[in-house]
Every structure is written in structure tokens, then in C-alpha cells.
Amino acid sequence: MWSISGPGPSPTDPPLRRGAGAAAAFVRVAEAVVADVRRGALRPGDRLPSTRALARRFEVSRNTIVAAYDELATQGWIVARGAAGTFVSGDLPDPAPRRGARAPAGVASRPGFALPEPPASPPAPLDAMTARYRLSLGVPDPRLFPTAALARAYRRALAAAPRRGALEYGPAHGAPALREAIAAMVRDTRAIPATAEHVLVTRGSQQALDLIARLIVGPGRTGRVVAVEELGYAPAWAALRHAGARLVAAPLDDAGLVADALPARLAAVYTTPHHQYPTTVVMSPARRLALLGRARADGLAIIEDDYDHEYHYDGRPVAPLAAADPGGHVLHVGTLSKVLAPGLRLGYVVAPTPVIDALARLRATVDRQGDHVLELAVAELIEDGELARHARRTRGVYLGRRDALLDALDRELRGVVEARAPAGGMTLWARVVDDVALPAWQARARARGVAIAIGRDLHLLGRARPYVRLGFARHDEAELRDAVRALRRALRG
Amino acid sequence: MWSISGPGPSPTDPPLRRGAGAAAAFVRVAEAVVADVRRGALRPGDRLPSTRALARRFEVSRNTIVAAYDELATQGWIVARGAAGTFVSGDLPDPAPRRGARAPAGVASRPGFALPEPPASPPAPLDAMTARYRLSLGVPDPRLFPTAALARAYRRALAAAPRRGALEYGPAHGAPALREAIAAMVRDTRAIPATAEHVLVTRGSQQALDLIARLIVGPGRTGRVVAVEELGYAPAWAALRHAGARLVAAPLDDAGLVADALPARLAAVYTTPHHQYPTTVVMSPARRLALLGRARADGLAIIEDDYDHEYHYDGRPVAPLAAADPGGHVLHVGTLSKVLAPGLRLGYVVAPTPVIDALARLRATVDRQGDHVLELAVAELIEDGELARHARRTRGVYLGRRDALLDALDRELRGVVEARAPAGGMTLWARVVDDVALPAWQARARARGVAIAIGRDLHLLGRARPYVRLGFARHDEAELRDAVRALRRALRG
């Protein structure tokens, strides 16, 4: 650090002028003055060199020194007294100068204003992110991601962006080409008779859920009751709670959500009918009718989170609630996180147009709009069939991995874990014998590098359930076998 | 459409099996039954063909027909009576069959649940988006965007993504490499002594403002008062209002926000001190001190929106409030929308770590995280100096455009519009003589393809102010001259 009071820069000092912005130079000069004051080389009342003299000494423009002195005066370190000169202030911002090395100023370690109480946070998936075997999440294998196809599509989208306005502010609803492509996709594969005006593109299903929560609950409607399946997806509950919803748990059985057990006073129901998260059960046709009937009777909103529709292995696909919803009760949430990657953050809502428009108005205040360059690129992947091909290819791979995991569980953990093949999705829901203490097994497994999710983690009220959720898409068959062996060893400790 | 009651598919019918998913086939069969019922070819109580017979007729698997019949039964069109067979329901979902062509079902036109009142929405910038000359916004020229550099960086980031976890769920705070790069950037160019832990990467400054609003106001703190400059940025006000804040207007003058005129009871202040939006005034050192002093005295939060720091033309840069904030009052909001493009949606907050962590927790419920592939790509652009080079190049271009606009205004509108050169930014704030009715001029200008912003559009309480805001970065010098000539012609009507 250069000394103001000393002879000037030594040969070992880094050059003041760095070529990357004059701002850096004025900062360094100011820091040098502060350093001298802190170590006592300059004391309150001492006169500073003139700006001309200092500029000559450090071989910078006088403007740089003037800027430094202005900054120091603003911060209260020095005082300009006109023709008399510039002096170290008698009333320093930091009255106890530190001896020795220059203390880095740094951003304050604590805020100067009151923060709200941190909310009860759901278990962070990041702990799973550092595990060698991440069986606690139903996520796709990034090694299968079509990187070349997306890179090419992105490059083309960028090249076309100036012409198509994709780099500028655009509609909060999403890039029109992607709204069209998603509408076509849900018409073809989900039997939902949507057109582009029924589609909002979001940053993953999480943003969709957050916007829907704010719309349905929101200011002035705080305290409205939303029913959720007693076992479910914690980030959705978090979005609902943050919007002020009161959540009540609805029971589940082999046919899915028990619609007759829904409480009397409700604003909405959040459900995952295609492959119930986490039990993987497919909601039966009778339950679907009952739920839609209840919605019709009470003017409810149904938030249908169809998060992994593409991955259905049983021959007979099931149309979503939104496919037969003349009453307009269903907000159908989808995502490209499973078929592409969670990191891209692309999801969507399909709903009546007034709902889409209301969500888009809210979205505009949240983050204005999506990344329309990426949206154009993904629209191209959908239009040229690349997404469908990729879904088909990975469906076959994941089906094989599902069976490999079932096989490994049967070989290594028979009598401990009982798993049935799920009709679809990327996870199993397996019953564990009662004499295995799940939290302890989970911790020992994590210590051996295997992250699993247990019933309690997924229950709205944190109640223990003798089940584990095991994802099979993220890892290949050899990795899955290795992970299951580690689970077996972890039974003992 | 194939007829169930007729002889079977004709040669002109498209093949039932499309090869792109069995779901499509069962949907088509179900639609065919509905069509027949709607046009009266099948009537309530009529017996349907057996699943085997229909499968043979349409040359599909029996499972496909079974799936179609299940779906129709779920929707209430048909009733299965065991051995007796399957019959058209006596109680149809749509009791008035439509004659003629099959009516497309479509998503419902209105929701079946109550939507909240739409909030008073700020004037949408989209109207400007369709104008030939968009002088109402301070946005960069997308034709200058470094598309090749970003495309290359994105391709590399995608290739590295599986290895770096960028395609998977990651930290809500942002990709570590971009947090580091932004910290270095604000240290070097804004004199803010931040490290990566003081940085949150957001989807543009809008998301930063929305998260900050929810943190500072939020549930349980609704009604807290936030002071804003009386002329300012409406999307920021919208985020604050949506979080439940009560906004009060603070006066402005030639030195910026009049800190002494702030009301007594405040939670926070939202300010744009570097180039006041929209007056372009640079907040004086004395006002900065006064504002920080007030924050210290009352434990306030200061939301410093430094949205175009890179574009300063006056030789002497001014350090932000956050550069001298030992008390931790400042939440410094930045964006890459000006130096790169608004469409990329990349912004950031610099603040004490407990604040950043609290914002990240909120962010996780909003959209989980950013697009870490894009964040890695942009981190590379910052690290290899491309962003700084691009900022420097465009600074020169926009300085030229600033002067071209001033020149054109002087030539075409002298005596009507008086503009002074702003010290920085992408817009002018020009006084208009009192005998020009601004709303009418704005409308006539828009009819001639020129979008401008007038004082009233930018005032918190909608009060008229005899000023216009004119952006000069978006268009080149010839376009600016053309736009100003159109403005002159629009004076008359």
C-alpha cells in the first residue's frame, strides 16, 4: 500500500493505474490515506498534500486525487478548508486507529436494520447435492442431457434475438413461440385442449406455485385454507405458506387423495394426481371425479402439479384433471425439469386465460419476465421433436434403472424394504419394516455417501411414516447397486 | 374424425396410430365417441361396441380402447354395467349435443374460482415495445450485444455443466463463480469492499427489489412505511406495494433526494443516488452523509438501486452509498440489464451476509434458484474482461448518442424543450415549456411511432411535471434525429 506521508511508491508496489477503469485508482488513493490515518502516520489535524503534488507523486491525473479527496470528505476522514488546504478530520469515522496491517474495511458483518424471524425452513436439498449417491430426489441424470442440441439452439436463438426482441423487455407471459410449443405439447401428450393464450411460461414449477399461491391467497386473503396431500412436496407448501395460506392435511390411500375427507371450508386443493409425490400412486378415476365435483360445488381452485408426466411406464396413460375441466377449476402446473434439467428453470401453467393474465401481472412485479433467449431455444427443441425424442430415450433408460433398483433392493434388503414398481416417475416409495429406526438409518447412510428421504421428511406435520423415497433416474445401474449395498451396510452402523 | 357408430375409418381419415405416443390414440378414440354423442349418432342408453370389437375395427390394441372407455366413464359420458356391456350415459356432462362439426372443447374461458381484484397496474412498457422509436426507456441497443461471445461462453458453460452441477439443483444464492465475479467487479468499479458471501444473484434488479420488499415489509410487517423519491421507477413501487408497504413520496431537487424532508416513521428508503431515475441528478456528498446518518439514527434500511453504474460520462465517478456503510444499512442493487441486455434477467444484491442469506431463503420459495448455466457463462465474460471491454465500447457509443440527441433537440425543439447533458445513464430529463400539453403531445408522438415518457408517468402520485424522459442508447444517431423531427411535427397534431 502506498503511503501518503512517506516518500512515494516503491518499486515493489503494484502500479496505481491498472488499465481497467479509473475508478480503481481513486479508490486506492483513498485507501492509502485511510491506512495512514489508521496506523497513525497521519493524525487528526494534519494537513494533506495538495492534489497537484499527490498527482505528480503517484503519476496519475489530478482528477483522480480530487475524486479520492471528495470520497474521503464524504466519508468524514478529511475536511477541505478552502485555500488553507485539506486536513485530516478531527472527528474520524473510525476513532480507534488500528495498529499494524491495514484492516480490510469489508461489508458490515451485520445489518443496521431489523430482519424478520427466519421462517421454519424445509430440509435443504443441498445436503443431498453433496452426497455421492443422491437417491433422495427424483431428478434426471445430467449426463444424459442433450447439451449439443441445446447449445446449437441457444446459439441460433441468440443470433435471432435482436430481430425478435428476445434481448429486450418482452411479455411477462413468456416468449410466444414457447407458449405455442407448450400448448401443442400438452394437447398432444396430455389431452389438455390448450392454445397459447392458456399458457404462462415460468421459472420452473416453483415460480408457478409461488405465483398461484400469491394469486389464490395473497394480500387481503391471508389465512385462506388450502388442502394438501398429507405426504407431499415441501417447496410447494413453503410457497403457499409464504403467501399466507393455512395448510390442512388431506389423507392418502392406494387411490390417492381421499377427496371425501377434505375439510368443509377451502379455497383450494394442491395435488399431484399423476404420480402422487411421494407415494407414486395414480389418482383413480373415481377420486378425480369426486375432486372435480367438490371443486364445482364450492368454487374451488385445484392446483394440479403434473411434474413428471413424460415418465409413465405403465401402458395406460391417464389424462390429467385439466383435460376434462369445463368448469375452469384446474391450474395445471408442468415443468421441463424432469425431461430436460432442473437447472434450466423452465415450467408452465395451463389455465383459463383470465387466470393466466392475472398470474402474468403478478409475475411482472416478481422478475418482469423470463429469459426469452432460452425460451426461444427450448421452443425450437420442442418444435423439431428433439424434446420428444429425448423423453422417449430417457424413458427407456429410467425404466431400466427402476428395475435395476428394485432388483438390488430385492437382493440386498429383502425383508427390510418392500418396494413395488411405480407406474411412472423417477422414484420408488418403499415400505420399511418397523424395527428399522429410519432417522438413524438415514444419518448412517448419509455418512456412507447415500442420501435418502424418509417418510417424516415428506409429511406436512412431520409425522413419522415407515417408508423411504428412493430416486433411480440420477444414477446408472452400477451406481444404484453400489448405493443399495451401502444402504445395507448402513443398517448396522 | 372416426365414427364409432359408422362403418369404421375411411381412407381419408388420418391413421389412428401416430407413432408419437400411445396417449394420442386413446384420446382420439374418446373424442370420436364424444363426437358421435354430440351429433346424435349415439344417444343416451345406446350400447357401445365391445372393446375387442372396437380394437379390431381401428386396428389398435384392446388396451387403447379400454383406456378410452375408462376416460369416458371418468368424465361421465358412458357407464360400464359389467357383463351387460357399456352404455352411453343417461346423464351426460354436456346435455345439449351440438349439431354439425365437432365443437373443440377447449380450456374453459372463465375460471371456476374467484380471482382477486386486479391491482392498479403501472403503465406497461409493452406499448413502448411496439413503437418504432423507443425513447421512453433507458435500454441498451440490442444490436450492439456481444452475441458471439455469449454464445461461446454459454456453449462452454453447458459442456462443463454436468461436471459442475449447473444443470442440477444448486444454491439459491447463485452460481459461486458468478458471485465471485460480481464481488470482484463491485470492488474494482464501485469501491464496495464485498466478497462472494455478500452477493446474491437475482433475475434482474426486479427480482432483487421484490425479494427485498418481501424481506423488509412481508407478512407480519404489512403497512411498514417506505420512502421513495417522488419521481421514480414504477416497477420498484409495485414490488414494494405488493409486499404490503405504504409508500410516501420524498421531494427531490438538484442535489437528489431531500434527506431532511423524510418523514419521521420509516422502515426503509428506496433511492437511485448515482443517476436519479428519472431526473439523472447525482446525489450530492452532503445528502449521502445525511441519508446514512438518518439510517444510523433510526435503524433504517436503504435500498440503493445503482442500475446503470457503468455508464458515467463525467470524469469523476462517485462511490455508491454501499462503499462507505460500516453500519450495514445499505442493500445495494445492481443489474446487468444495461451493460448486457434486459432480456437476460441478471441482477444482484450486495449486502451484509445475514441479509443475503435471508433473501436467498425467500428466493428459494419463489423460483428456487437462477439459471446456473447462464450464470457460469456470464461469470466467464466478466472474468476474461469481455464485460468490461463491452462496457467501455458502448460507453463511447452512448456518449456520442447522448450528444446527438442533445444536438437534435437544440436544432428542432429549441425554445420548447430544454435539456442538459446528464452526467451518466441512458436517458435525458428535459424541461418542457408550460404551454405544451404533455399528455396530448405524448399521444400524438406515439401515433407517429415515437414513445416518450412524461413527468406524470413517473410521479408516485401521478402528478404532472413539465418534463420528458428521453432515452438515447437504444437508437443510433440517425434514428435519434429522425425521432426528434417526428416529435417536432407531433407538437402540432
Side-chain angles (χ1 to χ4, degrees), chain A residues 390-431:
Chain A
H390 177 72
R392 198 164 40 248
R393 271 195 306 265
T394 49
R395 191 160 48 235
V397 173
Y398 296 151
L399 176 58
R401 294 178 178 187
R402 177 196 78 171
D403 294 341
L405 179 59
L406 286 165
D407 210 66
L409 291 172
D410 186 58
R411 251 183 301 110
E412 304 280 344
L413 290 168
R414 192 182 311 162
V416 177
V417 167
E418 185 204 315
R420 275 173 303 175
M426 296 177 164
T427 63
L428 313 177
W429 183 246
R431 176 75 161 86

Side-chain angles (χ1 to χ4, degrees), chain A residues 71, chain B residues 189-192 273-274 288 304 306 309 318-324 332:
Chain A
E71 185 53 35
Chain B
T189 63
R190 302 190 189 194
I192 305 176
H274 196 222
R288 292 163 184 260
E304 172 176 47
D306 197 354
H309 193 92
V318 184
L321 298 166
H332 182 87

Side-chain angles (χ1 to χ4, degrees), chain A residues 221-287:
Chain A
R221 295 169 139 207
T222 302
R224 292 184 101 206
V225 180
V226 178
V228 304
E229 293 148 345
E230 58 176 340
L231 289 156
Y233 184 55
W237 303 336
L240 288 162
R241 284 181 167 133
H242 265 94
R246 196 158 69 74
L247 301 185
V248 296
L252 287 163
D253 63 19
D254 284 349
L257 171 75
V258 183
D260 292 341
L262 288 172
R265 301 176 61 75
L266 279 186
V269 179
Y270 169 73
T271 177
T272 50
H274 196 223
H275 310 125
Q276 201 280 328
Y277 182 118
T279 65
T280 78
V281 162
V282 179
M283 187 186 281
S284 71
R287 291 280 168 83

Side-chain angles (χ1 to χ4, degrees), chain B residues 435-455:
Chain B
D435 55 358
V436 173
L438 283 177
W441 188 27
Q442 182 184 41
R444 288 192 302 265
R446 185 67 188 81
R448 289 173 181 277
V450 183
I452 62 174
I454 64 177

Side-chain angles (χ1 to χ4, degrees), chain A residues 18-21 23-24 26-28 63 66-67 70-71 73-76 105-116 118-119 121 125-126 129 134 137 139-140 142-143 145 147 150-151 154-155 158-159 162 166-171 188-189 191-194 198 203 206-207 210 214-216 219 221 224 233 235 238-239 242 285-286 288-289 295 299-302 315-319 323-331 337-338 341-345 350-355 358 361-362 364-374 392 474, chain B residues 18-20 22-24 26-27 63 66-67 70-71 73-76 105-116 118-119 121 125-126 129 134 137 139-140 142-143 145 147 150-151 154-155 158-159 162 166-171 187-195 198 203 206-208 210 214-216 219 221 224 233 235 238-239 242 285 288-289 295 299-302 316-319 323-331 337-338 341-345 350-355 358 361-362 364-374 392 474:
Chain A
R18 259 210 347 194
F26 96 90
V27 168
R28 283 172 172 64
N63 276 347
V66 170
D70 265 3
E71 185 53 35
T74 297
Q75 295 189 28
V107 169
S109 54
R110 274 181 303 279
F113 53 91
L115 287 179
S121 38
L126 276 182
M129 283 298 109
R134 305 167 205 172
L137 297 172
V139 288
R143 296 166 295 190
F145 186 88
T147 42
L150 179 62
Y154 190 89
R155 192 186 66 242
L158 250 190
L167 284 169
E168 311 195 72
Y169 288 118
D188 288 346
T189 63
I192 305 175
H198 304 119
R203 291 253 151 242
Q206 187 65 31
Q207 185 176 48
D210 179 69
R214 300 222 252 176
L215 182 74
I216 288 182
R221 295 169 139 207
R224 292 184 101 206
Y233 184 55
H242 265 94
R288 292 162 184 262
L289 268 177
L300 302 187
I302 301 178
R316 225 164 55 188
V318 184
D325 178 38
H329 297 278
V330 181
L331 299 100
S337 289
K338 307 299 180 188
L344 291 185
R345 315 308 305 129
V350 182
T353 303
V355 177
R361 273 193 300 269
L362 272 174
T365 67
V366 170
D367 67 351
R368 286 198 84 142
Q369 59 172 84
D371 174 347
H372 291 180
V373 177
L374 179 67
R392 198 164 40 248
R474 176 64 181 77
Chain B
R18 260 211 343 196
F26 95 92
V27 168
N63 276 345
V66 170
D70 267 2
E71 188 51 36
T74 298
Q75 294 190 29
V107 170
S109 53
R110 273 181 303 280
F113 53 91
L115 286 180
S121 38
L126 277 182
M129 283 297 110
R134 305 167 204 173
L137 297 174
V139 289
R143 296 167 295 190
F145 186 88
T147 43
L150 179 62
Y154 190 88
R155 192 187 65 242
L158 250 191
L167 285 169
E168 310 194 73
Y169 288 118
R187 282 198 304 271
D188 289 345
T189 63
R190 302 190 189 194
I192 305 176
T195 57
H198 305 118
R203 292 249 152 248
Q206 188 64 31
Q207 184 175 51
D210 180 68
R214 300 222 253 175
L215 182 75
I216 288 180
R221 296 169 138 206
R224 292 185 101 203
Y233 184 56
H242 264 94
R288 292 163 184 260
L289 269 176
L300 302 187
I302 301 178
R316 224 163 56 187
V318 184
D325 178 39
H329 297 280
V330 181
L331 300 100
S337 290
K338 308 300 181 186
L344 290 186
R345 313 310 303 129
V350 182
T353 302
V355 178
R361 274 194 299 270
L362 272 174
T365 67
V366 171
D367 67 351
R368 288 200 82 144
Q369 58 172 85
D371 174 347
H372 290 180
V373 178
L374 180 67
R392 198 163 41 248
R474 176 66 181 75

Side-chain angles (χ1 to χ4, degrees), chain B residues 38-77:
Chain B
R38 283 219 162 100
R39 67 164 198 248
L42 283 170
R43 284 175 304 262
D46 282 358
R47 190 169 183 276
L48 289 168
S50 74
T51 53
R52 258 191 202 89
L54 211 57
R56 261 196 319 267
R57 189 188 301 179
F58 288 106
E59 296 176 320
V60 294
S61 76
R62 185 168 166 251
N63 276 345
T64 299
I65 306 300
V66 170
Y69 279 14
D70 267 2
E71 188 51 36
L72 291 163
T74 298
Q75 294 190 29
W77 291 98

